[in-house]
Amino acid sequence: MKNWLKKQYKWLVMVIIMIVCGACGEETKETTSGERNMYFYRADETLHTYEGYFYLHSYTDLWQDVDLYITKLEDFSDGTLYALELEQPESSDPFDELYGHKYIGYFYVMDEIIYRYNDYPTGEDGYTDENTGRIIKWIKSDEADFLEQSTIVCCEEGTEDITDENGYHSYVEVEGDRRIYRFYNDYFYGSKDYMLMVWEKEKGLTYYMHGSGGMDMHVEFGHNIKEEQKKDYGYPYKLFH
């Protein structure tokens, strides 16, 4: 009888261990979801150096290499939240501050889609703990609503050209191993924002452009800026080069 009870006890312990190990495996699988997106940066990459071109409030051309900081904030069951922040370029002119343009945005990276969320204070405070905590809490409580309020900036199949009530276009275009996100307004002149993101498989962002009409606070970075500037990305980007 005692031997039988010992066997049953050992069997029960083994079952419990298997269940616990299985749960750990599932947890690991969930928390790494989103890092398999082939268009985003590697999971271990926290800094990426680019060629940079800036035309800021000093209204002078500023060419120099810059670093992009890639900060992983939290894993979720469907993806991973990151913050991308651009290094402030070196300049003796105080008007060459990037201000809000150094904060590229919050990025929610899923297996096949990358969302960008940028409705946050764009002053010097940047990604505050308070604001980041609010977004993390939002994703945990209502991920669907967070995604609805965010913008798809990269996906395998691309997206349709959608124009909102203010005349802004926003869509992802497929070009070989590249996914090109475009954001611009039909009435470009004035203070209308524009943005261009080129994602390349296994490389992350390879070209980025953001600014306002008239090249007010114009920011560019990429792997080969001068070659990218020769390409015709269409209206309104071709107005700059």
Side-chain angles (χ1 to χ4, degrees):
M1 184 67 176
K2 288 182 179 180
N3 290 335
W4 181 84
L5 288 174
K6 286 182 179 180
K7 290 181 180 180
Q8 293 300 312
Y9 176 77
K10 289 182 179 179
W11 177 82
L12 181 60
V13 170
M14 291 178 62
V15 170
I16 292 173
I17 292 173
M18 291 174 64
I19 292 173
V20 171
C21 290
C24 291
E26 287 299 316
E27 182 179 354
T28 302
K29 180 180 179 181
E30 288 185 356
T31 55
T32 57
S33 178
E35 295 178 350
R36 296 189 302 274
N37 191 303
M38 304 298 287
Y39 293 93
F40 201 69
Y41 301 95
R42 299 189 315 270
D44 61 345
E45 193 169 12
T46 59
L47 183 147
H48 197 105
T49 303
Y50 291 96
E51 297 176 11
Y53 168 69
F54 306 89
Y55 191 83
L56 307 173
H57 285 318
S58 66
Y59 302 114
T60 57
D61 294 324
L62 184 62
W63 294 86
Q64 63 181 253
D65 289 353
V66 293
D67 291 332
L68 180 71
Y69 301 100
I70 306 155
T71 304
K72 179 179 176 180
L73 298 172
E74 184 140 345
D75 285 312
F76 301 90
S77 59
D78 295 324
T80 303
L81 184 67
Y82 291 86
L84 301 186
E85 180 175 346
L86 193 64
E87 175 189 23
Q88 170 64 44
E90 296 180 3
S91 174
S92 59
D93 196 318
F95 288 103
D96 281 337
E97 288 290 329
L98 285 180
Y99 299 109
H101 283 65
K102 69 186 296 185
Y103 307 112
I104 308 300
Y106 289 102
F107 290 79
Y108 190 60
V109 182
M110 306 175 77
D111 289 347
E112 297 183 356
I113 302 176
I114 301 174
Y115 288 87
R116 175 177 180 264
Y117 182 80
N118 70 324
D119 185 15
Y120 56 88
T122 56
E124 287 302 303
D125 291 339
Y127 305 116
T128 63
D129 291 341
E130 180 182 1
N131 200 62
T132 298
R134 176 180 63 84
I135 291 177
I136 291 174
K137 184 178 179 181
W138 185 9
I139 296 173
K140 288 180 177 179
S141 62
D142 194 344
E143 183 187 70
D145 184 58
F146 170 78
L147 296 180
E148 186 176 347
Q149 302 302 319
S150 301
T151 302
I152 295 176
V153 293
C154 182
C155 66
E156 188 66 41
E157 303 299 326
T159 63
E160 295 182 4
D161 181 356
I162 298 176
T163 307
D164 67 13
E165 64 276 9
N166 296 314
Y168 277 99
H169 296 257
S170 178
Y171 62 99
V172 177
E173 185 178 44
V174 175
E175 184 185 276
D177 284 341
R178 307 193 330 163
R179 298 297 177 267
I180 304 171
Y181 171 70
R182 305 173 193 269
F183 175 81
Y184 64 92
N185 195 287
D186 283 328
Y187 182 74
F188 166 70
Y189 300 96
S191 60
K192 301 298 184 184
D193 283 349
Y194 55 86
M195 182 176 288
L196 179 73
M197 292 185 187
V198 179
W199 304 86
E200 192 165 346
K201 192 170 288 187
E202 302 288 358
K203 296 181 180 180
L205 275 173
T206 56
Y207 187 48
Y208 174 90
M209 182 192 298
H210 182 208
S212 302
M215 287 188 73
D216 181 23
M217 292 298 291
H218 179 85
V219 174
E220 282 185 59
F221 62 81
H223 287 164
N224 194 333
I225 287 286
K226 291 186 178 180
E227 287 301 316
E228 291 292 343
Q229 289 179 346
K230 294 177 184 178
K231 296 179 181 178
D232 182 6
Y233 283 102
Y235 175 86
Y237 316 104
K238 63 184 178 182
L239 299 178
F240 305 126
H241 309 299

